[in-house]
Amino acid sequence: MSSSFKFVNFSWDDAKAASLADGAARLVYRSNLLGSDQRITNTGGGNTSSKLIEKDPLTGEDVEVLWVKGSGGDLRTAGREFFSSLYQAKLKGLQKSYAARADKGLKSQAEDEMVAAYNHTTFNLNPRPSSIDTPLHSFVPGKFTDHMHPNAIIAIAASKRCVELTKEIFGGEMDYVPWMRPGFELGLAMQEISGKNPKCRAIMMGQHGFISWADDDKECYTETLRYIEKAAAYIEEKYAAKGGDATAFGGAKYQSLAQEERNAKLAAILPWLRGQVSQQKRFIGTVQDDEKILRFVNSKDAARLAELGTSCPDHFLRTKIKPLYVDWNPQKDDLDGLKKLISKGLEEYRKDYAKYYEKCKHDNSPAMRDPNPTVVLIPGLGMVAWGKDKSESRVTAEFYNCAVEVMRGAEAIDEY
């Protein structure tokens, strides 16, 4: 089976799965396998679930229980304690009380209040807080469900022709739902889609990722990989046909500096740059200057694509809506020129971020976050990602790498 996958790792071990004590342990196993491959989902991203038959501790009767990854944690390392357990019948029953609300709807007071209602469906006093994605897992028909954020799928989800591409690549087995924030309304939309299309076994989530399901846990895992494999193969075929690396992102506008010169210039600029972005809180930087990130920052389309920002909510929680792209010519300009461009760019970035916050804030919104960028892109040198510590800056870099891969895929098959 593993030989049929080229773009993801098939790691399921039948003997290992059979040795596990119960369905919850198998859910943890499946989750850890999915989370171990960053081409399947990113750090902290995605969630999984299983609808299992359990003994009700109150009545002793068999009841259906939704085990679903709760808030926090990472699929690669999550143990049983990271999963909520909820009465499936009670979760579905919330639809009746929600339908009776006059104030229901997307981003409504009623939808917001449903999150607290999940606590009332808790099975066996499980203390793990429920995720806002819980209705997605409860309301789709499969016994086993995976919601992942693979770069290949998001590349389709973030393309202009997403609906047409989804049909072209997957046929009727994957349907489509336009962007909606995770929550009760999205769960209801998925329930309606899967009810109308009996062939549907997965749903493309516009600008976000996808969800897939099956009535066997190994099949669910395998199908999740198959969808990602299919998307990746389609992208790579189109990418190669357009010229591959040589023409990626419109081709090269600038050339990378030699490694020794990059190191010297980064050593000269980084202490100053760290001071500039650490005016509100101290940041630690992670530098990346490998071939892939340099191909992007040196390209003709880098400025345009960087300004469009990231699409997946999981990405911009780490990288903010967009990075700071510094249009510096490494072949002609010196470090003083670079500092001036960065200073001007930071000033504009902070203004843009304040405008974005003012436009989007509500009465109950938290205070504006630090308006400094968490990702800085410099042609010839590479990327600097920022975080409160080494680990957070590394993860920020990881997420922007995902964003670059999404843009590469989207531009190969359509338009990002």
Side-chain angles (χ1 to χ4, degrees):
M1 174 67 75
S2 59
S3 62
S4 64
F5 292 97
K6 179 180 176 184
F7 300 101
V8 288
N9 295 328
F10 180 88
S11 303
W12 188 277
D13 184 330
D14 286 329
K16 172 67 177 174
S19 73
L20 298 171
D22 57 22
R26 288 175 69 103
L27 171 60
V28 171
Y29 174 64
R30 183 172 104 239
S31 304
N32 294 164
L33 293 184
L34 292 167
S36 67
D37 187 344
Q38 289 187 353
R39 295 167 299 179
I40 295 173
T41 200
N42 40 257
T43 300
N47 36 64
T48 50
S49 68
S50 297
K51 294 176 182 129
L52 307 172
I53 301 301
E54 307 263 3
K55 287 284 183 190
D56 190 323
L58 295 175
T59 66
E61 295 176 355
D62 286 345
V63 290
E64 189 174 31
V65 176
L66 176 73
W67 284 82
V68 59
K69 179 177 169 282
S71 295
D74 175 48
L75 283 176
R76 182 178 63 84
T77 56
R80 187 186 293 243
E81 70 276 10
F82 285 96
F83 291 82
S84 304
S85 54
L86 310 160
Y87 287 96
Q88 169 66 359
K90 290 183 179 181
L91 275 172
K92 295 275 283 194
L94 291 175
Q95 293 185 22
K96 185 176 180 182
S97 59
Y98 181 73
R101 294 280 295 259
D103 59 344
K104 64 182 178 291
L106 190 62
K107 300 184 181 179
S108 66
Q109 182 72 21
E111 186 181 39
D112 288 343
E113 290 178 5
M114 293 311 293
V115 178
Y118 306 155
N119 295 330
H120 295 285
T121 72
T122 298
F123 174 79
N124 205 19
L125 304 178
N126 186 338
R128 173 55 58 176
S130 300
S131 163
I132 56 171
D133 283 326
T134 296
L136 283 57
H137 293 263
S138 176
F139 299 169
V140 297
K143 297 291 184 186
F144 305 94
T145 302
D146 297 332
H147 166 40
M148 299 290 119
H149 300 139
N151 296 333
I153 293 284
I154 302 174
I156 299 164
S159 296
K160 230 174 196 179
R161 296 176 54 251
C162 174
V163 179
E164 294 87 346
L165 286 168
T166 300
K167 288 178 182 175
E168 181 182 335
I169 299 167
F170 302 105
E173 62 183 355
M174 185 181 290
D175 217 310
Y176 169 83
V177 65
W179 160 252
M180 298 167 70
R181 72 170 188 178
F184 213 81
E185 284 288 334
L186 181 54
L188 290 173
M190 289 182 168
Q191 179 175 265
E192 183 178 1
I193 288 167
S194 57
K196 286 180 178 177
N197 181 2
K199 290 182 180 178
C200 174
R201 292 292 179 272
I203 298 174
M204 175 74 69
M205 301 162 69
Q207 299 172 281
H208 188 159
F210 84 121
I211 192 166
S212 57
W213 60 86
D215 287 331
D216 174 83
D217 56 355
K218 180 184 178 181
E219 181 187 356
C220 184
Y221 170 81
T222 306
E223 286 296 280
T224 294
L225 266 59
R226 186 177 67 83
Y227 290 122
I228 300 168
E229 180 78 11
K230 205 165 189 178
Y234 182 89
I235 288 168
E236 295 311 319
E237 182 184 347
K238 299 291 183 184
Y239 182 69
K242 282 191 172 182
D245 293 348
T247 58
F249 308 118
K253 179 180 180 181
Y254 302 116
Q255 299 302 312
S256 298
L257 297 174
Q259 184 71 63
E260 192 173 325
E261 191 176 357
R262 283 206 303 275
N263 292 347
K265 282 187 163 50
L266 285 165
I269 201 80
L270 280 172
W272 173 84
L273 178 54
R274 184 181 178 222
Q276 296 300 302
V277 299
S278 298
Q279 292 175 0
Q280 290 197 11
K281 59 182 181 181
R282 275 180 62 181
F283 277 130
I284 299 294
T286 290
V287 175
Q288 187 180 341
D289 61 349
D290 63 285
E291 187 180 341
K292 282 187 176 181
I293 203 70
L294 284 167
R295 186 171 66 227
F296 176 68
V297 301
N298 292 340
S299 71
K300 292 173 184 173
D301 292 340
R304 171 180 68 84
L305 293 169
E307 184 64 25
L308 289 173
T310 54
S311 63
C312 179
D314 269 46
H315 291 183
F316 63 68
L317 282 173
R318 300 281 187 169
T319 65
K320 295 200 170 166
I321 288 289
K322 63 181 181 180
L324 171 62
Y325 172 81
V326 185
D327 198 357
W328 179 66
N329 187 331
Q331 276 67 56
K332 292 184 179 180
D333 299 334
D334 59 15
L335 283 181
D336 285 338
L338 177 56
K339 282 187 176 182
K340 287 176 184 175
L341 286 170
I342 291 174
S343 295
K344 184 181 178 183
L346 285 172
E347 188 180 337
E348 290 300 317
Y349 190 98
R350 292 171 191 138
K351 286 179 184 176
D352 285 351
Y353 193 81
K355 285 179 188 174
Y356 161 73
Y357 173 81
E358 289 297 323
K359 180 182 177 182
C360 300
K361 76 172 183 178
H362 299 285
D363 294 339
N364 60 347
S365 293
M368 187 175 78
R369 295 167 66 195
D370 185 337
N372 286 291
T374 56
V375 176
V376 179
L377 306 173
I378 307 172
L381 297 182
M383 171 177 72
V384 188
W386 302 99
K388 65 183 178 184
D389 51 31
K390 180 181 177 181
S391 175
E392 186 175 271
S393 68
R394 180 193 61 76
V395 172
T396 300
E398 175 198 315
F399 272 70
Y400 201 72
N401 275 283
C402 289
V404 170
E405 272 297 286
V406 166
M407 291 184 281
R408 182 184 72 86
E411 291 284 297
I413 60 177
D414 186 32
E415 184 180 344
Y416 177 69

